[in-house]
Each structure stands twice: as structure tokens, then as C-alpha cells.
Amino acid sequence: MPHTTVEYSGTLVEALDRPAFGAALHEALVTVAGGRAGGCKTRFVRHDDLFIGDGSAHHAMIHVEIALLSGRTPEVKRALTEAVLAALREHTAPTPQYAVQFSVDLRDLDRDAYVVHENPRTAS
């Protein structure tokens, strides 16, 4: 925990440094929101078939959705979304040929309903 999904335009595959952004994202989840480093999970989803704005080819997007256990204050949530947005800007190379929209959405997971089971490693 937490779970993050990063959806991005296929046209940005070379511009978005996914490993560096993932590391910065996980660091922010731990330092800003008090997440557990070993529980951070991020999935990158490339989209090659998007319709943005008027549909012209010069539009692109990166959207980050974070699912975090409930209980953080609005101030912590805002600080986290700002840190994630800053990391996105830092780890996305300039693409003057595209108008890139960056967005971050943070959602609470109900602590009473969320369940996780970790299967311990077995010696081989």
C-alpha cells in the first residue's frame, strides 16, 4: 500500500523517465504521506488511442491516480499531490511538439474494507 496508476500518452514513451519518476513518487509517498516503502506499487499504463481536447495530434497527457489508506489530513493530501506533480515535471523531458496535460488524483481507501495478504517467501 499505496497503489498508484500512471496513465500516459504513447507519444510520451521516450519523454517520461518511468524508473526515475517511480522512485521519486515512492519517496514522496513515504516522506510526505507516511506510506510504507515496501508496500508502494506503481503501474504504468501506456495509451496509444486517446482523444484529448479537440482531438488534434499535438495533445498528450500523464495522469497519476493514487489510492491511499484513509486518515491523512487535507494538508498532507495537497502536499503529496503537489510533490507528485513536481516529480512528473522533473522526470518528463521537454516535448515542444505536444501540449502535455499533467494531472494527479488522490483517493482514499476505506481502512475497514481494504484487505491485503502477503504470502511469505519460501526457501527453495
Side-chain angles (χ1 to χ4, degrees):
M1 176 72 302
H3 295 278
T4 306
T5 302
V6 181
E7 297 181 82
Y8 64 98
S9 299
T11 53
L12 300 177
V13 70
E14 296 297 322
L16 176 60
D17 185 342
R18 292 178 302 282
F21 173 69
L25 168 68
H26 289 193
E27 181 179 335
L29 289 165
V30 171
T31 60
V32 176
R36 187 173 58 84
C40 292
K41 298 166 201 71
T42 298
R43 295 171 293 282
F44 290 92
V45 182
R46 173 182 170 168
H47 294 287
D48 291 314
D49 190 16
L50 291 173
F51 189 91
I52 301 170
D54 62 5
S56 63
H58 79 277
H59 292 292
M61 53 81 72
I62 303 175
H63 175 71
V64 180
E65 186 170 300
I66 302 167
L68 201 57
L69 286 176
S70 59
R72 273 89 177 172
T73 66
E75 294 80 15
V76 167
K77 291 177 183 179
R78 185 64 181 183
L80 178 59
T81 58
E82 291 294 334
V84 172
L85 187 59
L88 266 180
R89 289 184 178 130
E90 180 180 346
H91 297 292
T92 303
T95 53
Q97 68 275 35
Y98 300 112
V100 181
Q101 297 176 7
F102 296 105
S103 57
V104 180
D105 182 25
L106 186 135
R107 298 171 187 256
D108 283 333
L109 292 173
D110 184 341
R111 284 184 180 273
D112 295 330
Y114 182 78
V115 177
V116 66
H117 172 75
E118 292 185 29
N119 195 11
R121 287 184 165 181
T122 57
S124 30

